[in-house]
Amino acid sequence: MISDNNPSSIYGTQSNGIIYSPFNFKLEPMERLIIFGIENDPDEIYTTFESQIFDDNIYGKGMRILATRNDGYVDVYYQPGLIFNSNDFNQVGKGLRDLIERPMKNARYEITSEGVDLFYTFEDKIGRQIEIKIKENNKKTPKPFNILAPLGAGTYKPDALPLFMLYDIDFIRRTGTEIQITIAGREHKVDKIPLLVDGSKIYYIRYSIDPFLVKWNVAGLETLYPLELSGKLQIQDKDTTYDLIDNKGHYEIKQMSIANEKHSLTVYFKPAVPDIVCIHDGASVKGKITIASEKTTGTVSGEYELSRYGSKIKMKVHPNGGWKPNEPKWSMKLLYAAIPMFKNWTKTYIWTAEIELNEKGQPTMNSEWKRKDYR
C-alpha cells in the first residue's frame, strides 16, 4: 500500500513554510456545445462542425463554430464581440488555421421542450455559403449521460491534458428531426451511429447543455511563484485549491481541485507531491495520480515521478491508466467497448518538466506534453 506522505529521508534542508507547485489548472467557460460530422458525405474542405455558445466576462457573448478541415487543422468562425487567443485551439486536431469573424445573423442554439433547435449561416473564407439547421421534434423524455470528452484523441501537439467533462450530453434521434446541412448549395448527409441508444436510431450528433472544461498543466517556460499557507493545510491560489499534508514540517501536495458554480474536478496524488525545493540531491519519488469529477464521469488514473540531480528536478506524469467510465446505460457501455478510443486516449499523453532550483530566486520550469506512439 502506498503511503499518503513521503519518507522524511528524501529531504536535505528544512522548510521555510513556502512551497511551489509545478501544476496548474485553466478553466474554460462555455454555456453549451453541439458537434456533428459529414465524413461519410464529405465536403471538399470541412469534415466536422462544432457550435459553441458563450456568455461570460472572459470570452464574451455569442456563437463560435469550429470547422475541422480535411487536413486536420481547424478554421474558427465567430460572431462579433467574442474574444479569443489563437492558443485556445491547440487541443483541436493539428491546431488553428484561420480565425474569422462572421455576423451569423439570426443564429441560435436553444433547447426546447422537444429538443435541440440550432440554426446558423455564414460565408466561409473562400466565399461559400454554409447553412446549418437541426431541429428536433422529440416527444420522448431525454435520458442524458455524462462523459469525459475524447477531444484529446485527435490532438497532434497538446499544450495541456484536456479534462473536458460534458454533463447532460445526449444524441439526436433520427425520428422527427429536421436536418439541413448545405455548403455552396449542396446538401450533405450527417453521420449516423449504427447502434440503438435508449431504443432509438440516432445521428452522430452529440450535444451538452452543461460542459465543464478544464485544462490541466498548461505547458511552457515559466517562473514558479511561492504559495504560502493561509489556512489549515490548505492554499487558495486563484481558482485552484491545494490540500496539503504536514510531513514533519514539510508541506506536501495531497490534492488540487478547481470548481465552478456547478461542478468540481480534483487531482489526487499518492504519495503527496513533496516539498520540491527541499529534497536532497539524488532523491526520487514515484506515485499514483487519480483525476475525478462527479462520480458519474468516472476517473482517469496514472503515475507521476520526480528526481533531483544537483540544482535540477526532473518530473514526469503519465495518465497511463486511461479513463474508467462509471456509466450505467448499456447502450453507452457498448459504444465504449466498440470504440476503445473513448477510454484509452489519455494513455498516449506524457508530461515532462525540468525545474531549475535557484537559491537566490524563484525556481523556473520548462515543461511540455507529448503523445506516446502517436503519428
Side-chain angles (χ1 to χ4, degrees):
M1 180 178 293
I2 301 176
S3 173
D4 285 340
N5 59 343
N6 295 285
S8 57
S9 59
I10 69 170
Y11 292 111
T13 59
Q14 291 184 338
S15 170
N16 61 2
I18 294 176
I19 67 169
Y20 296 87
S21 172
F23 308 116
N24 63 74
F25 281 129
K26 182 181 179 184
L27 190 61
E28 303 262 331
M30 187 182 298
E31 293 293 305
R32 51 194 177 275
L33 59 84
I34 182 169
I35 311 168
F36 67 88
I38 53 172
E39 295 187 44
N40 294 320
D41 186 14
D43 172 54
E44 61 184 278
I45 299 177
Y46 299 122
T47 63
T48 305
F49 294 89
E50 177 174 345
S51 310
Q52 304 171 337
I53 296 294
F54 296 88
D55 188 1
D56 58 78
N57 57 10
I58 297 176
Y59 293 142
K61 183 176 182 179
M63 179 183 289
R64 134 180 128 179
I65 313 299
L66 274 60
T68 303
R69 301 159 48 96
N70 291 304
D71 60 9
Y73 289 91
V74 62
D75 289 333
V76 176
Y77 297 89
Y78 64 97
Q79 288 184 304
L82 291 176
I83 302 171
F84 305 106
N85 188 305
S86 60
N87 292 332
D88 293 337
F89 309 101
N90 290 340
Q91 298 296 137
V92 185
K94 292 182 178 179
L96 178 68
R97 176 65 77 192
D98 288 304
L99 190 60
I100 307 144
E101 182 179 296
R102 289 291 185 265
M104 299 187 211
K105 187 178 179 180
N106 299 321
R108 66 179 181 273
Y109 171 20
E110 300 170 355
I111 305 297
T112 71
S113 60
E114 295 183 336
V116 168
D117 183 6
L118 174 74
F119 172 80
Y120 59 87
T121 182
F122 63 91
E123 185 179 274
D124 76 3
K125 64 185 186 181
I126 62 171
R128 305 181 307 166
Q129 197 67 28
I130 296 178
E131 183 171 315
I132 309 295
K133 179 181 179 182
I134 300 174
K135 191 175 190 309
E136 282 191 287
N137 297 287
N138 179 26
K139 303 301 181 182
K140 286 188 176 182
T141 302
K143 297 179 180 179
F145 55 98
N146 304 321
I147 189 175
L148 170 63
L151 169 71
T155 303
Y156 282 65
K157 295 180 180 179
D159 65 351
L161 184 67
L163 300 168
F164 288 8
M165 305 295 178
L166 302 184
Y167 292 89
D168 291 333
I169 189 172
D170 208 349
F171 295 106
I172 289 184
R173 293 164 179 81
R174 298 186 210 173
T175 301
T177 299
E178 303 171 40
I179 294 185
Q180 184 177 346
I181 313 297
T182 305
I183 302 175
R186 184 199 158 189
E187 192 165 339
H188 293 262
K189 295 179 180 178
V190 178
D191 296 339
K192 302 173 183 177
I193 289 181
L195 299 174
L196 293 178
V197 174
D198 296 327
S200 299
K201 293 182 179 180
I202 60 172
Y203 292 106
Y204 193 33
I205 306 174
R206 52 275 192 210
Y207 67 95
S208 171
I209 59 174
D210 187 13
F212 179 54
L213 312 180
V214 177
K215 286 184 175 182
W216 185 50
N217 273 14
V218 178
L221 178 62
E222 60 185 309
T223 298
L224 301 182
Y225 55 90
L227 303 175
E228 297 189 35
L229 198 65
S230 58
K232 294 183 177 179
L233 295 178
Q234 193 173 84
I235 292 173
Q236 190 67 40
D237 179 37
K238 299 179 182 178
D239 294 331
T240 301
T241 301
Y242 292 95
D243 289 289
L244 311 177
I245 289 176
D246 185 349
N247 184 4
K248 297 183 179 180
H250 292 281
Y251 296 111
E252 302 178 340
I253 301 173
K254 180 181 179 181
Q255 63 191 56
M256 59 185 298
S257 57
I258 191 168
N260 65 8
E261 297 80 7
K262 295 181 180 179
H263 306 291
S264 65
L265 184 141
T266 302
V267 181
Y268 301 90
F269 304 97
K270 194 168 185 177
V273 175
D275 180 359
I276 57 175
V277 299
C278 292
I279 62 175
H280 66 72
D281 188 11
S284 63
V285 173
K286 291 185 178 181
K288 303 288 186 181
I289 64 167
T290 302
I291 303 171
S293 188
E294 276 84 337
K295 184 177 180 180
T296 53
T297 56
T299 58
V300 174
S301 62
E303 300 174 333
Y304 83 89
E305 58 185 73
L306 63 87
S307 301
R308 178 168 179 173
Y309 304 91
S311 64
K312 290 182 171 59
I313 292 177
K314 293 185 177 181
M315 296 191 66
K316 177 181 176 181
V317 172
H318 187 191
N320 54 3
W323 175 56
K324 184 179 180 181
N326 184 26
E327 177 53 60
K329 292 173 64 168
W330 278 104
S331 56
M332 294 310 301
K333 290 181 179 181
L334 290 172
L335 182 64
Y336 298 150
I339 310 176
M341 168 271 296
F342 278 99
K343 296 191 288 186
N344 293 336
W345 67 266
T346 70
K347 297 179 182 181
T348 67
Y349 276 63
I350 297 177
W351 177 81
T352 56
E354 183 173 280
I355 300 171
E356 179 71 36
L357 301 178
N358 184 346
E359 294 181 359
K360 297 182 180 180
Q362 295 169 237
T364 57
M365 182 175 75
N366 193 9
S367 64
E368 66 175 346
W369 285 94
K370 288 186 177 181
R371 298 197 63 184
K372 179 184 177 183
D373 302 327
Y374 182 73
R375 291 185 172 88

